[in-house]
């Protein structure tokens, strides 16, 4: 007997999910839809069906690739569900043309065929173009048009043939629960018992979520779409579309054929947020004269500027008018990604929301795998419902960020570019001092994070002299710090080089407050953590251990730093809200697991991030700074590497962990948030005579890559094993048992490896996600990259075939240029660890 599943919503996601679940043997699936089938009136019913696979997100690209693959195999009555007419993205400015080369790099990294072409080729592909306006284009022949309603119908029929049922005209009115688990849904036509309920309700997701007591961080917005009158140039067209779907991103427009007409979508207008709780039901919308609930009246005043741009690009439109138009509603989230996964607040209640047709089948497969197998086959951490911080879940935040995502749909977005509002939201206790030092803030997880400090600008002039102790002649290269191209120079300053040097030569303070801190206590804490993690935690109090959270397949779910502060007291340095969520889900049952604290069977888990803060004090003079402030012994003999100690620095109680993520002597110093400013001032005053500086994330990232320290979510995910990621040292296979252990034993040896590269040209810089070519063909892609100021070369870590020997030559494609690089041996800096262990 298979689990009972109720899917709320029979749009493209609900239909795809029913198909994927029943294909895996879960056949007791009921799909409830408030509108009529097969076109119930949500976003699917009006979707123009454009499927472009390429983007900066590898996950979304893989979702889209599967959607193309699956829909290409489906038809209804001989009409295919996908037309591979191709895609063409145009550039009318030099900046956009450069970005198309960057997008071509994404395509090569993620395995999507495509090429940047000239204006003449664009004209061949789209004869209606004014060639004089176009500088070039990015052509992806495998992209095309999804017939969303037909694809829904085809998958619905397959699911029904396996036992699923689809019930239209059933409006969900409530979600039933018992003991923290979902038990079914109420509708206006009866109750449906369920072991799992999936909200695939599209822009009604927040409404269904509210019934379940789950806030869904999704903002619906209206988007203009219009059709022209018949064009003489397209007369006699017998096919719905033959030319590539067209993007004119410089004007926030896209185009597709509808026989002898052109359909045009615009993101150029002001955001038009829609209250999901105020969207009428299907019959009410029809009674009000609308085609469907998701179709709002066309706003002519928003259209005029876009129409002028349409006619500039396609002169044939100058002789016609718009025949019809509407404002169609669809979903945005604060970061532009879908919202997927099971809610911890209500077990068995799943979300598959904020999903566009482009990614629908791929999302459905991932969610079905998650439900049936316990994990998706691809990494989805950047879509996981748990990824948002509590401060990012307010309605005001979701509305403001979601609206901005609409504005930026076609913008050229730098990988470091932060949102402008609402900021500042989360700040550390050191924020006022950072402002006084001229911090350049970027944002992550709602936190303001200094990337460098303008107060250190005078140090840039000193970069030409001196040497790093123990690394003769290395930093002399900084006198010739190369100029950066305009893209790489964004959100960067040469001050970062000065801060890196000060860290290597003297001592620097780093604000590490945004790193997540969890407290795990109780008599069952050790056994609990030891069962979940890969390394040996059964050490005496005072020990610190780097370890991994693995999933059941042996993939790296996260990496942790676990400090045993007492026999039953552990402080866990984690990565994201997902880590807390995972620990709470795995905690022995019986505790209040629906909050950020769980306690049961002797295990208590608490998120202490907001109530604490952390300063990293790193550099060869770090001991000279902290030792005079305490009566405790901070010598190497008295306070060894990867050890923890509770002490006082001046008047401030601190938990000191002797760790270094930058490859230098030093400590992470933790205290409560109310004493944070006092801690900063104490350290700053004590370090004046030592030349202490504040240093930012830009220098930090450079220094950590010189040591080869990995960043979870960027360098490795659940798709990667510890051995592939170079983290085998954090796995103790002789432990009695830990999650993922058996899977690791059963896996064959690695065929791919996270590989360090040094760019051959000392002036070259890459930023990440670029394709890496081996023997002339794409063989992998860059994860993290930064200029190594100590080494005088750009460092790039990349996933490549395993076994490449140091010295092997490769090429990294950066904006269409193939930059030579060489496989290096790690760690690149201080391989003997003498600088940390002194």
């Amino acid at each position: 007997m298979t689990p009972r599943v109720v899917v709320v919503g029979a749009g493209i996601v609900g239909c795809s999910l029913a198909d994927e679940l029943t294909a895996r043997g879960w056949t007791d699936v009921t799909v409830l839809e408030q509108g009529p089938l097969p076109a119930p009136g949500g976003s699917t019913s009006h979707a123009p069906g454009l499927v472009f696979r390429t983007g900066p997100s590898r996950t979304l690209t893989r979702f889209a690739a599967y959607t193309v693959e699956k829909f290409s195999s489906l038809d209804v009555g001989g009409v295919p569900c996908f037309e591979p007419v191709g895609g063409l993205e145009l550039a009318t400015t030099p900046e956009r043309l450069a970005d198309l080369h960057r997008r071509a790099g994404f395509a090569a990294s993620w395995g999507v065929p495509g090429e940047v072409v000239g204006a003449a080729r664009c004209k061949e592909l789209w004869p209606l173009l004014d060639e004089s306006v176009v500088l070039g284009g990015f052509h992806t022949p495998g992209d095309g048009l999804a017939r969303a309603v037909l694809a829904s119908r085809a998958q619905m029929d397959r699911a029904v043939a396996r036992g699923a049922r689809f019930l239209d005209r059933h409006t969900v009115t409530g979600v039933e629960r018992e003991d923290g688990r979902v038990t079914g849904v109420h509708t206006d036509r009866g109750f449906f018992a369920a072991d799992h309920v999936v909200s695939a309700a599209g822009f009604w997701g927040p409404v269904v979520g509210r019934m379940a007591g789950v806030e869904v961080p999704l903002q619906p917005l209206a988007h203009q779409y219009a059709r022209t009158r018949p064009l003489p140039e397209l007369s006699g067209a017998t096919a719905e579309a033959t030319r590539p779907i067209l993007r004119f991103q410089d004007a926030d427009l896209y185009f597709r054929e509808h026989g002898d007409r052109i359909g045009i979508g615009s993101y150029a207008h002001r955001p038009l947020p829609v209250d999901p709780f105020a969207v009428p039901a299907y019959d009410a919308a029809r009674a009000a004269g609308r085609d469907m609930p998701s179709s709002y009246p066309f706003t002519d005043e928003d259209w005029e500027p876009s129409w002028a741009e349409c006619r500039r690009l396609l002169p044939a439109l100058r002789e016609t008018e718009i025949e019809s138009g509407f404002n169609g509603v669809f979903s945005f989230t604060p970061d532009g990604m879908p919202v997927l996964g099971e809610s911890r607040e209500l077990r068995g209640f799943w979300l598959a929301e904020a999903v566009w047709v482009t990614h629908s089948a791929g999302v459905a497969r991932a969610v079905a795998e998650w439900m049936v197998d316990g994990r998706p086959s691809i990494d989805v951490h950047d879509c996981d419902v748990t990824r948002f911080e509590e401060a990012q879940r307010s309605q005001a935040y979701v509305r403001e960020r979601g609206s901005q995502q609409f504005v930026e749909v076609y913008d050229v977005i730098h990988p470091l570019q932060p949102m402008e509002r609402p900021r500042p939201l989360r700040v550390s206790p050191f924020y006022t001092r950072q402002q006084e030092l001229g911090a350049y803030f970027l944002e992550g997880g709602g936190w303001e994070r200094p990337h460098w400090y303008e107060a250190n600008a005078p140090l840039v002039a000193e970069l030409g002299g001196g040497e790093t102790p123990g690394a003769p002649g290395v930093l002399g290269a900084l006198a010739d710090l190369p100029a950066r191209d305009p893209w790489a120079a964004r959100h960067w300053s040469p001050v970062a080089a000065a801060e890196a040097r000060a860290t290597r030569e003297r001592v620097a303070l780093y604000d590490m407050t945004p790193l997540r801190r969890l407290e795990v206590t109780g008599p069952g804490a050790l056994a609990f953590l030891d069962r979940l993690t890969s390394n040996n935690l059964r050490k005496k109090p005072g020990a610190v251990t780097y370890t991994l959270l693995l999933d059941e397949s042996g993939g790296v779910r996260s990496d942790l730093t676990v400090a045993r502060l007492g026999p039953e007291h552990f402080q866990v340095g984690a990565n994201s809200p997902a880590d807390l969520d995972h620990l709470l889900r795995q905690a022995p049952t019986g505790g209040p697991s629906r909050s950020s604290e769980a306690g049961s069977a002797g295990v208590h888990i608490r998120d202490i991030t907001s109530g604490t803060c952390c300063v990293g004090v790193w550099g060869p003079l770090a001991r000279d700074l902290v030792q005079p402030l305490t009566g405790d012994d901070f010598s190497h003999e008295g306070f060894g590497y990867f050890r923890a100690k509770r002490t006082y620095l001046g008047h401030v109680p601190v938990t000191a962990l002797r760790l270094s993520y930058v490859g230098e002597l030093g400590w992470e110093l933790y205290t409560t948030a109310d004493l944070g400013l006092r801690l900063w001032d104490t350290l700053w005053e004590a370090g004046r005579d030592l030349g202490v500086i504040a240093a930012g994330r830009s220098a930090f990232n450079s220094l950590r890559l010189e040591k080869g320290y990995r960043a979870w979510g960027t360098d490795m995910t659940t798709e990667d094993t510890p051995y592939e990621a170079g983290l085998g040292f954090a796995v103790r296979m002789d432990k009695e048992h830990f999650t993922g252990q058996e899977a690791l034993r059963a896996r064959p040896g690695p065929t791919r490896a996270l590989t360090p590269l040094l760019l051959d040209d000392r002036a070259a810089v890459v930023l990440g996600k670029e394709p890496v070519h081996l023997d002339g063909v794409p063989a992998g892609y860059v994860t993290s990259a930064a200029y190594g100021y100590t080494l005088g070369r750009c460092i790039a870590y990349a996933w490549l075939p395993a076994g490449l020997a140091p010295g092997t030559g490769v090429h990294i494609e950066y904006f269409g240029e193939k930059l030579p690089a060489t496989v290096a041996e790690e760690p690149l800096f201080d391989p003997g660890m003498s600088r940390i262990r002194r």
Side-chain angles (χ1 to χ4, degrees), residues 9-286:
I12 190 65
V13 178
C15 292
S16 297
L17 180 58
D19 183 44
E20 295 287 339
L21 285 171
T22 56
R24 287 165 175 77
W26 281 24
T27 55
D28 191 351
V29 176
T30 300
V31 183
L32 301 175
E33 174 53 59
Q34 63 179 348
L37 293 174
S43 299
T44 299
S45 300
H46 71 245
L50 283 67
V51 178
F52 284 93
R53 291 166 293 172
T54 303
S57 167
R58 181 170 179 258
T59 300
L60 291 187
T61 297
R62 295 172 80 185
F63 285 161
Y66 181 70
T67 299
V68 169
E69 176 188 337
K70 184 177 186 181
F71 289 3
S72 296
S73 69
L74 300 176
D75 70 88
V76 176
V79 179
C81 294
F82 184 78
E83 288 287 355
V85 294
L88 180 62
E89 304 179 45
L90 300 176
T92 60
T93 65
E95 180 187 33
R96 181 67 64 179
L97 184 60
D99 189 60
L100 293 187
H101 281 285
R102 185 172 70 108
R103 292 179 65 78
F106 293 147
S109 289
W110 315 144
V112 177
E115 63 174 337
V116 176
V117 298
R121 177 60 175 153
C122 292
K123 178 73 170 178
E124 290 177 10
L125 292 166
W126 251 86
L128 300 186
L129 288 175
D130 180 352
E131 185 179 352
S132 69
V133 175
V134 178
L135 299 181
F138 176 47
H139 181 220
T140 46
D143 291 338
L145 291 168
R147 294 184 173 92
V149 174
L150 278 189
S152 297
R153 175 63 184 273
Q155 294 177 99
M156 184 190 316
D157 291 345
R158 298 202 317 182
V160 169
R162 301 186 191 110
R165 58 177 175 166
F166 285 72
L167 303 176
D168 63 1
R169 302 292 189 174
H170 281 65
T171 300
V172 173
T173 58
V175 176
E176 191 72 18
R177 72 196 79 183
E178 183 177 336
D179 295 330
R181 279 205 65 91
V182 70
T183 58
V185 299
H186 295 276
T187 76
D188 58 351
R189 299 176 67 175
F191 177 75
F192 294 84
D195 304 300
H196 299 273
V197 173
V198 185
S199 178
F203 55 77
W204 281 292
V207 179
V208 177
R210 186 74 56 85
M211 297 176 193
V214 176
E215 289 298 316
V216 179
L218 177 161
Q219 176 60 56
L221 288 110
H223 158 61
Q224 289 199 308
Y225 192 79
R227 293 194 193 195
T228 67
R229 296 184 185 279
L231 298 178
E233 292 83 354
L234 300 179
S235 63
T238 57
E240 180 182 356
T242 58
R243 295 175 177 85
I245 46 178
L246 188 67
R247 276 176 167 170
F248 181 20
Q249 290 150 304
D250 289 322
D252 294 310
L253 294 166
Y254 63 82
F255 305 83
R256 58 152 294 181
E257 295 170 292
H258 291 280
D260 60 358
R261 294 164 170 81
I262 300 291
I264 308 165
S266 172
Y267 294 99
H269 55 84
R270 62 198 164 95
L272 299 169
V274 172
D275 180 358
F277 294 88
V279 177
Y282 187 91
D283 291 331
R286 296 286 288 179

Side-chain angles (χ1 to χ4, degrees), residues 243-388:
R243 295 175 177 85
I245 46 178
L246 188 67
R247 276 176 167 170
F248 181 20
Q249 290 150 304
D250 289 322
D252 294 310
L253 294 166
Y254 63 82
F255 305 83
R256 58 152 294 181
E257 295 170 292
H258 291 280
D260 60 358
R261 294 164 170 81
I262 300 291
I264 308 165
S266 172
Y267 294 99
H269 55 84
R270 62 198 164 95
L272 299 169
V274 172
D275 180 358
F277 294 88
V279 177
Y282 187 91
D283 291 331
R286 296 286 288 179
R290 287 158 50 184
D291 289 339
M292 61 188 82
S294 61
S295 174
Y296 277 61
F298 195 66
T299 48
D300 293 298
E301 65 276 15
D302 292 314
W303 177 251
E304 288 307 315
S306 293
W307 188 227
E309 288 292 343
C310 293
R311 291 174 157 183
R312 181 170 73 93
L313 181 70
L314 304 175
L317 299 183
R318 296 169 190 168
E319 305 302 322
T320 190
E321 299 295 334
I322 294 301
E323 183 176 69
S324 63
F326 66 98
N327 287 2
V329 182
F330 63 143
S331 304
F332 286 82
T333 59
D335 60 4
M337 299 293 285
V339 179
L340 312 178
E342 184 187 23
S343 165
R344 187 173 42 80
E345 294 94 332
L346 182 60
R347 301 295 179 90
F349 183 78
W350 295 77
L351 296 175
E353 297 290 11
V355 182
W356 295 5
V357 171
T358 301
H359 311 113
S360 55
V363 163
R365 179 175 65 170
V367 174
E369 291 171 339
W370 212 338
M371 296 174 70
V372 176
D373 304 327
R375 62 180 294 276
S377 59
I378 68 171
D379 170 60
V380 296
H381 80 273
D382 50 2
C383 304
D384 195 316
V385 63
T386 63
R387 70 186 182 273
F388 294 110

Side-chain angles (χ1 to χ4, degrees), residues 449-738:
R449 302 187 180 200
H451 271 241
W452 68 84
Y453 295 85
E454 286 299 325
N456 296 324
L459 300 179
V460 176
E462 303 173 11
L463 289 176
E467 295 178 351
T468 299
V474 174
L475 279 184
L478 288 179
D480 302 315
L481 188 67
R484 293 197 169 203
D485 66 85
W487 184 254
R490 292 189 193 183
H491 307 293
W492 174 84
S493 168
V495 172
E499 293 176 359
R501 177 171 193 162
T503 306
R504 290 276 188 244
E505 293 186 343
R506 302 194 299 274
V507 61
L509 307 184
Y510 288 82
D511 182 2
M512 306 302 289
T513 300
L515 298 184
R516 183 163 299 277
R517 292 171 292 285
L518 310 177
E519 184 181 73
V520 182
T521 58
L526 173 59
F528 171 67
L529 289 173
D530 201 47
R531 171 175 62 85
L532 290 181
T533 61
S534 64
N535 212 337
N536 175 30
L537 301 186
R538 296 183 179 277
K539 303 172 183 176
K540 294 179 180 179
V544 181
T545 305
Y546 176 80
T547 187
L548 305 173
L549 280 177
L550 304 181
D551 66 14
E552 294 292 346
S553 72
V556 182
R557 179 187 289 274
S558 187
D559 62 343
L560 309 176
T561 302
V562 181
R564 191 174 190 184
L565 303 181
E568 300 178 357
H569 184 185
F570 296 83
Q571 179 174 303
V572 179
N575 283 297
S576 73
D579 293 339
L580 172 63
D581 181 82
H582 179 64
L583 293 185
L584 291 174
R585 288 177 187 270
Q586 297 298 316
T589 58
S593 60
R594 294 165 193 81
S595 68
S596 61
E597 181 174 352
S600 61
V603 179
H604 302 269
I605 304 167
R606 189 163 66 100
D607 188 339
I608 61 173
T609 309
S610 297
T612 56
C613 59
C614 178
V615 182
V617 182
W618 291 311
L621 302 182
R623 184 174 288 117
D624 300 75
L625 193 158
V626 298
Q627 183 64 83
L629 298 174
T630 179
D632 284 307
D633 184 1
F634 269 57
S635 69
H636 183 64
E637 294 72 23
F639 196 159
Y641 190 52
F642 265 79
R643 300 292 298 172
K645 183 179 292 189
R646 286 172 158 172
T647 186
Y648 284 84
L649 295 183
H651 300 287
V652 182
V654 300
T655 299
L657 273 57
R658 190 172 167 196
L659 305 175
S660 175
Y661 206 53
V662 300
E664 295 292 336
L665 170 69
W667 290 265
E668 293 178 358
L669 304 173
Y670 298 88
T671 192
T672 53
D674 60 320
L675 291 167
L677 190 59
R678 184 62 176 264
L679 174 62
W680 181 279
D681 289 344
T682 298
L683 295 169
W684 189 261
E685 185 61 33
R688 284 185 182 276
D689 292 341
L690 302 173
V692 70
I693 67 160
R697 299 289 299 185
S698 187
F700 177 89
N701 198 45
S702 170
L703 296 170
R704 69 104 178 166
L705 282 179
E706 290 182 335
K707 286 298 294 178
Y709 294 148
R710 278 61 165 152
W712 184 85
T714 300
D715 296 317
M716 70 279 189
T717 67
T718 54
E719 293 185 30
D720 314 307
T721 70
Y723 304 115
E724 293 170 331
L727 298 174
F729 66 88
V731 179
R732 293 291 179 266
M733 292 299 289
D734 56 353
K735 282 177 60 172
E736 182 176 348
H737 174 73
F738 62 87

